[in-house]
Amino acid sequence: MITLNGKTFAENPSEFGHDCAGYARANRLSITLQNRSKEKIGVINRHGCLCLASKLASGQWWYSYGDIKEIGEFSSYGKREEEIREAMKNMSR
C-alpha cells in the first residue's frame, strides 16, 4: 500500500478498504495509479514524476503535469517528492 498526500492506494483487493482512494500497480519501471473503479488516473514514471493520465478520443493515453483529482494538491514540492520516492521504494520490494 502506498500513500500520496494522505490518500492510500492498495496494491491488491485484499488491502483495499473504505478509506482507499484507489489502486496502485507496480510495473517494471513505473507505478500505475487507478481510481476505485480501476480506471487509470495517473502514473509515477521511472524518473519519479507523478503524471496525470488522460485518455484521448483515439484511445491513446496523454500524460501531463497536473493535480490528480483523487490525490489533490500537495502542500509543498518537497513533500510531494518525498512521498513519491517513498512510494517508488515501497513498490520495488
Side-chain angles (χ1 to χ4, degrees):
M1 184 167 306
I2 65 170
T3 303
L4 296 170
N5 202 25
K7 310 299 188 306
T8 57
F9 290 85
E11 294 180 55
N12 55 54
S14 65
E15 289 182 341
F16 196 82
H18 69 281
D19 60 336
C20 285
Y23 294 92
R25 188 180 75 230
N27 304 311
R28 195 168 68 86
L29 298 173
S30 63
I31 299 171
T32 301
L33 301 172
Q34 300 171 327
N35 63 14
R36 293 173 142 268
S37 302
K38 294 192 175 184
E39 299 165 336
K40 186 189 293 187
I41 57 171
V43 171
I44 300 175
N45 68 19
R46 65 182 173 170
H47 304 291
C49 179
L50 178 61
C51 305
L52 171 67
S54 304
K55 193 164 191 174
L56 302 174
S58 64
Q60 295 177 316
W61 289 97
W62 177 263
Y63 301 102
S64 62
Y65 294 110
D67 293 326
I68 298 170
K69 180 180 68 168
E70 287 80 359
I71 297 174
E73 185 177 348
F74 285 84
S75 60
S76 70
Y77 179 78
K79 179 181 176 195
R80 175 186 174 112
E81 294 302 305
E82 180 182 321
E83 290 186 9
I84 291 170
R85 274 194 304 275
E86 188 67 28
M88 292 293 284
K89 186 173 70 172
N90 288 342
M91 294 296 280
S92 64
R93 290 185 207 168

